[in-house]
Amino acid sequence: MTSQVKSAPLQKLGVRWRLANKRLILPVVLMAMLAAPATRELTISVLADAFWQVAAYVAITLALYHWLSQKLNHQSAFTVRLKNSRHYQVIFASVMGALPGCGGAIIVITQFVRGQLSFGSVVAVLTATMGDAAFLLLAAQPATGLFMIMIGLVVGMLSGWLVDAIHGRTYLHPQRQESAPSCCRKFSSHEQATAVRLQGAFWQWLLIPSAVIAVMGSFQLNTDALLHLPEGSITVLGAFFALAAMLLWSLSRDIQGYQETVSEDAKSEKASLFQRVAQDTNFVTTWVIGAFLCFEVTMKLTGWDIAASLSHWRAALPLAGVLIGLIPGCGPQILITSFYLHGAIPLSAQLGNALSNDGDALFPAIALAPKAALIATVYSSLPALFVAYSYYYFFE
């Protein structure tokens, strides 16, 4: 009897530990690579690049985005005009989709479920959105990121208007109102809530210093010398910060399925600005580190030139980008963007992926209106194929 009483809490703790360790796999692997002399230098370089070249820029961009989101009031007289005009609905949906991240797209999906927006608006927002991959692209190549956003905005509007002209305003509207999508709620244990608070404090203190150092690095300045630090200090510091961010992200949520792996963490309505910034930044950074490591380790261990190998399949790469874009969640799309930034795939493939991918918005769409989600995803892939191969034919 005593053993049974003792085993119950231990079993409960074991379940929680196993769930948490699914996210801890990557930090543990990184620690092992840092401990091994053969991979230490490569791992430090990847972690530092991910932090200074990506995470710092993503964090400052997200801070501005979330600050503006808090200031904007979505409940205004504009909603009245939206309800009565498919033309403005599609414009609104495309703009919301073009915003970096998945928040704008999720808003459009929930408004469609409530009967406030047309099905063409859903197609427009899913076509225009690039999800969290937009933050990565804007951080690494701002001009390309803005170009991609503008293409998504225009193609989204044209696609939405065409779909509404064919199907009408009430096509596939759910017959009843649904509850809010689970991605907008927050359920966490005390330990997870503590990890979220620590993430917020982490970026609250590091946001400005990391952005300054990142900009200095972008201008090819010797940050170690300017800050009177030993050679290589900034690289080691960046690797430490990247690993710390990943550990905090790993402890902030259990993995219970595919969605928890590839999508942003749900956020509490009471979450502070920096907690929201930290959750999204650390998610993007973790996937970027995973992508960078896959690329660099493969090159180091096998000598395989991925870019050269894929060049033989260049005509199929736009199609591959579109097909991968159909996978729900932002994680796979961040991988594609990382491969583009490494020169492994051409811009046409990145363009096809950006237009076909629906980010995290596909999860609430599948939950609340599965038929509409499926058809809208298929519809958004058609202009993605057209634009990707048009760019490939005329410019590549």
Side-chain angles (χ1 to χ4, degrees):
M1 177 65 71
T2 303
S3 61
Q4 291 178 349
V5 172
K6 289 183 177 180
S7 65
L10 290 176
Q11 289 176 352
K12 183 178 180 181
L13 178 62
V15 170
R16 188 172 64 192
W17 177 253
R18 286 195 298 273
L19 287 171
N21 264 275
K22 292 180 182 178
R23 273 198 169 186
L24 282 169
I25 289 174
L26 186 54
V28 169
V29 169
L30 283 170
M31 290 180 186
M33 294 179 68
L34 287 170
T39 56
R40 183 179 301 145
E41 184 177 352
L42 172 65
T43 306
I44 291 175
S45 176
V46 167
L47 287 171
D49 288 347
F51 188 81
W52 297 124
Q53 297 179 19
V54 177
Y57 286 109
V58 169
I60 199 72
T61 304
L62 276 167
L64 178 61
Y65 170 75
H66 284 298
W67 180 80
L68 289 174
S69 297
Q70 290 179 352
K71 298 298 180 182
L72 293 176
N73 180 14
H74 297 296
Q75 301 298 325
S76 65
F78 183 59
T79 58
V80 177
R81 172 167 288 187
L82 279 178
K83 188 172 182 179
N84 298 319
S85 172
R86 284 182 294 174
H87 182 79
Y88 288 111
Q89 287 177 11
V90 170
I91 295 177
F92 169 76
S94 298
V95 171
M96 295 298 285
L99 295 174
C102 302
I106 292 174
I107 289 173
V108 171
I109 296 298
T110 55
Q111 291 301 309
F112 166 76
V113 170
R114 293 169 182 166
Q116 303 299 313
L117 297 177
S118 67
F119 178 69
S121 300
V122 176
V123 175
V125 76
L126 294 184
T127 303
T129 191
M130 193 180 169
D132 289 337
F135 290 119
L136 172 58
L137 196 57
L138 286 169
Q141 296 184 9
T144 304
L146 290 174
F147 168 74
M148 208 72 65
I149 287 173
M150 293 305 300
I151 291 293
L153 180 64
V154 173
V155 175
M157 284 191 290
L158 294 176
S159 302
W161 285 330
L162 178 61
V163 168
D164 274 347
I166 295 172
H167 292 295
R169 187 192 184 286
T170 59
Y171 181 67
L172 292 180
H173 268 184
Q175 296 302 310
R176 60 185 178 87
Q177 292 188 358
E178 303 282 353
S179 59
S182 59
C183 60
C184 300
R185 304 188 186 117
K186 179 64 179 176
F187 303 101
S188 65
S189 66
H190 174 72
E191 294 83 359
Q192 292 170 352
T194 300
V196 171
R197 287 195 297 272
L198 289 174
Q199 285 189 87
F202 177 88
W203 278 109
Q204 183 175 1
W205 289 102
L206 281 181
L207 183 66
I208 301 303
S210 64
V212 171
I213 294 176
V215 171
M216 292 170 64
S218 296
F219 282 100
Q220 304 300 314
L221 300 177
N222 189 334
T223 50
D224 290 321
L226 290 172
L227 298 175
H228 305 288
L229 297 172
E231 188 68 26
S233 297
I234 291 297
T235 299
V236 174
L237 199 60
F240 172 77
F241 287 150
L243 188 59
M246 288 182 61
L247 282 170
L248 289 172
W249 174 82
S250 300
L251 297 171
S252 64
R253 189 183 184 187
D254 292 338
I255 288 182
Q256 298 175 343
Y258 174 76
Q259 182 174 345
E260 287 80 7
T261 306
V262 300
S263 63
E264 300 171 354
D265 287 352
K267 300 172 186 65
S268 169
E269 294 181 357
K270 298 180 181 179
S272 68
L273 169 66
F274 287 104
Q275 288 173 5
R276 294 174 180 270
V277 169
Q279 286 179 276
D280 292 348
T281 300
N282 292 348
F283 164 74
V284 173
T285 303
T286 299
W287 273 91
V288 166
I289 290 171
F292 283 10
L293 274 179
C294 288
F295 191 91
E296 297 294 343
V297 170
T298 300
M299 296 278 286
K300 181 179 178 64
L301 296 181
T302 68
W304 177 34
D305 190 338
I306 299 176
S309 299
L310 291 178
S311 65
H312 299 298
W313 301 89
R314 200 171 183 85
L317 292 179
L319 174 61
V322 171
L323 293 177
I324 294 174
L326 300 178
I327 302 173
C330 290
Q333 322 316 329
I334 292 175
L335 289 176
I336 291 297
T337 303
S338 299
F339 272 69
Y340 164 72
L341 294 175
H342 274 90
I345 61 174
L347 184 58
S348 58
Q350 173 65 63
L351 192 58
N353 179 263
L355 292 173
S356 69
N357 99 68
D358 305 327
D360 295 343
L362 199 57
F363 290 116
I366 292 172
L368 301 177
K371 183 177 179 181
L374 177 61
I375 296 177
T377 300
V378 173
Y379 279 9
S380 66
S381 67
L382 298 178
L385 282 169
F386 175 78
V387 173
Y389 275 103
S390 295
Y391 188 90
Y392 171 79
Y393 181 79
F394 289 108
F395 300 104
E396 295 179 350

